[in-house]
Structures are given as structure tokens and as C-alpha cells.
Amino acid sequence: MTAEDRSALEQLIFSKEFIRSGDPGRKTQDIVFDLRTLKAVFESMKKFNIDYLDFPIMSGKESIVFKAYSRKKPIVVKIFKMSTLRFSNLYLYVQGDRRFENEKKDRSRIVYLWTRKEFINLRTARECHIAVPNPIGFHQNIILMQYLGTAASPSPELRKSSIDMEDAYSQVRESMHLLYTKAKLVHADLSEYNMLTYRNKVYMIDFGQSVSIEHPSAQIFLERDARNVCNFFNRKGIKCDVNDLLSFVTGESA
Ligand SMILES: Nc1ncnc2c1ncn2[C@@H]1O[C@H](COP(=O)(O)OP(=O)(O)OP(=O)(O)O)[C@@H](O)[C@H]1O
Ligand SMILES: [Mg+2]
């Protein structure tokens, strides 16, 4: 292990995100991320030439997102937490998606599958020219992707963005349309929290739960997405009607 590897790993292990007590001397039960994940982080660092982890951008119940550097360029490393990612919730989005039907689905495998699903969904969306972070790779419960933001700060979520909201809405509509008609996917957790604005463009993120349009609950998820989007834009003073949006997205209004 080089000194650089070691410092990155130490930085990770001793960051507050990993240790509940804040006391680095405590034993492994205090580490929020299990050792399997630490090992996976370390393997990913080798596999994808990650120089070091810069800072955690966000730490939620289910994942932690780091800004990192690979070959001197900023990237994002998103790590799904093995223990708190809710199994039953995941199952709902994996079961019924023909692309993942024949996979074994025990606890850790479903988290790995979730990670791979986010990667595949991002890649598919990207191939259909939808504004999403470019996926770089994945390893177990870790996914790497393009970093959206400046050296100093990550791009803001749409809810905190100063982008022109009229323009943002037309971009979101178009992306939802391409996602449905070309990528044949429904995001299934779309909201002002899961869109970032970068250089005046609205990017969709967080595709772990996204499903094929063939999924038995796809329509329900799509309607929920449309309601979230309209609620947000209506609050911002932009006219957004859920039924109009749905027919635009599915291409029925053409
Ligand atoms: N590519 C990116 N570039 C910059 N910031 C990002 C990027 N991806 C994620 N983020 C930041 O991290 C936050 C969390 O990311 P994301 O929504 O993918 O994870 P999450 O909400 O924890 O996902 P899940 O609900 O599946 O656990 C985002 O709201 C955003 O602020
Ligand atoms: Mg999110």
C-alpha cells in the first residue's frame, strides 16, 4: 500500500461518516460502513485509479457520496450502505423488471444489483442523450460517475438552484420524454432533490430505483414522478399540469 492509498483509506475510516462515536480508537462495531465496504472502496480505488477522496458531498441513510480525484480529475464515488439500504424497498423496484429477473436476491447481492442497476440505467440514459452524469464504473456497492460542480462546490439540487425555472421545466419535460420513449425507463424517484443544475443544464441523478417501462408498477411510478415535478414547478410559479405532462412524456400528445 502506498502512502497515498493509506491516507485515503484512513481518511475514509476516520471520517465522521464511518464512526458513530467520533473516537477513532473504538472498535469495528462503531463503524457505520462495514469492513466489506471498506475493502470494496479500497479495491475500487485501485481499479479505477482513484488518487484520493476529497470530501463527502452528502451522507444519507442509504448512501454516501464523495467527491474524489481520479487521474487528477474530479469524479463522484457513491457508496451504498450495506446495512441500512432497505431490502423490502429495493425488492419492489428489482422484482418485476425483466432485465434483472433471474438474479439471486439475498441481502448483499441485492445491494450489488442495485448498484449495477444504477450504472446500467445511467448508461442507457446517457446513450439516449439525456443529461445525466456520465457513469464511469461500478464495483460491488460502489458506483463512480462524472462529478457535476466546480472545484469548490458540487452543483446545487434543482430546489436550491437559481436557474431560470421556465427553462428548467422545459428541459425536465424533454428529459422525461426521452427517458420514457427512447431509454424506455421511468426514473421512479424524480423530484427537485434528484436533479442538479450544472452550466444551466438540468441533470437527473439517482437512478438506482429506476425501472423499465414494462415494470408492472411503471405507470404508478411515472405518475408519481410527474406529480412531484408539477408540484415543484407550480410552487415556483410555472404552470405545470400533471396530465399534460404525462401525455407529453409518453408521446401521446404528439
Ligand atoms: N454526479 C454528481 N455530482 C455532484 N453531486 C452529486 C452527484 N451525484 C450526487 N450528488 C450529490 O449527492 C446527493 C445524493 O446523491 P443521490 O441522490 O444519487 O443519492 P441518494 O439520494 O442517497 O440516493 P438513494 O436515495 O438511492 O440512497 C445529491 O443530492 C447531490 O447533492
Ligand atoms: Mg437522491
Side-chain angles (χ1 to χ4, degrees):
M1 210 189 280
T2 66
E4 245 177 29
D5 288 341
R6 205 161 38 239
S7 72
L9 199 61
E10 276 166 7
Q11 189 190 337
L12 185 73
I13 292 172
F14 295 132
S15 72
K16 282 201 202 84
E17 308 302 334
F18 288 81
I19 301 184
R20 287 207 182 96
S21 66
D23 170 5
R26 297 281 292 268
K27 296 226 180 64
T28 48
Q29 68 259 31
D30 291 318
I31 298 178
V32 178
F33 275 11
D34 59 349
L35 290 173
R36 234 179 341 178
T37 299
L38 290 175
K39 195 163 165 275
V41 171
F42 187 64
E43 286 162 0
S44 304
M45 293 185 76
K46 292 243 144 208
K47 188 167 164 189
F48 298 104
N49 290 294
I50 299 172
D51 311 323
Y52 63 97
L53 298 172
D54 195 5
F55 57 81
I57 296 175
M58 196 278 326
S59 165
K61 265 205 310 280
E62 301 179 343
S63 76
I64 168 164
V65 175
F66 280 93
K67 181 184 179 209
Y69 278 86
S70 168
R71 300 181 202 276
K72 303 204 162 66
K73 291 210 184 87
I75 62 162
V76 150
V77 175
K78 177 175 177 181
I79 306 167
F80 290 102
K81 295 185 178 177
M82 297 297 290
S83 49
T84 50
L85 206 52
R86 275 155 300 165
F87 190 85
S88 54
N89 268 6
L90 300 195
Y91 205 67
L92 189 73
Y93 294 86
V94 173
Q95 191 68 0
D97 194 322
R98 290 231 187 108
R99 298 174 301 165
F100 305 100
E101 218 160 52
N102 299 321
E103 310 266 349
K104 283 204 181 143
K105 297 182 184 74
D106 59 59
R107 194 166 217 314
S108 56
R109 274 188 229 223
I110 206 162
V111 181
Y112 299 158
L113 177 59
W114 192 255
T115 312
R116 181 153 60 90
K117 187 147 103 65
E118 170 146 34
F119 179 85
I120 292 170
N121 289 337
L122 281 173
R123 193 177 56 191
T124 307
R126 187 87 190 180
E127 280 163 6
C128 297
H129 307 289
I130 300 159
V132 301
N134 199 9
I136 297 168
F138 65 93
H139 177 65
Q140 294 183 346
N141 54 328
I142 297 167
I143 173 167
L144 290 80
M145 68 186 89
Q146 177 192 2
Y147 166 77
L148 304 172
T150 63
S153 58
S155 295
E157 292 169 6
L158 181 60
R159 68 198 170 104
K160 291 188 177 157
S161 172
S162 53
I163 195 170
D164 178 278
M165 288 296 164
E166 186 99 45
D167 179 33
Y169 177 52
S170 75
Q171 291 189 43
V172 172
R173 248 162 58 111
E174 190 56 34
S175 286
M176 287 177 78
H177 175 62
L178 288 176
L179 195 66
Y180 191 84
T181 57
K182 296 275 189 299
K184 312 264 187 234
L185 292 173
V186 172
H187 185 285
D189 191 20
L190 197 60
S191 74
E192 61 275 25
Y193 291 81
N194 279 334
M195 291 186 262
L196 305 182
T197 61
Y198 177 58
R199 298 182 175 165
N200 284 323
K201 254 169 92 172
V202 182
Y203 284 73
M204 290 182 179
I205 59 162
D206 205 356
F207 276 78
Q209 70 296 317
S210 306
V211 297
S212 143
I213 58 173
E214 314 270 296
H215 187 287
S217 305
Q219 280 313 308
I220 294 168
F221 296 150
L222 180 65
E223 284 166 28
R224 190 178 60 192
D225 284 354
R227 272 200 309 277
N228 288 342
V229 165
C230 280
N231 283 342
F232 172 73
F233 283 107
N234 284 332
R235 284 203 306 278
K236 292 288 171 186
I238 309 296
K239 194 171 163 287
C240 178
D241 176 82
V242 176
N243 290 327
D244 290 350
L245 176 59
L246 283 170
S247 21
F248 181 86
V249 168
T250 55
E252 276 159 25
S253 62

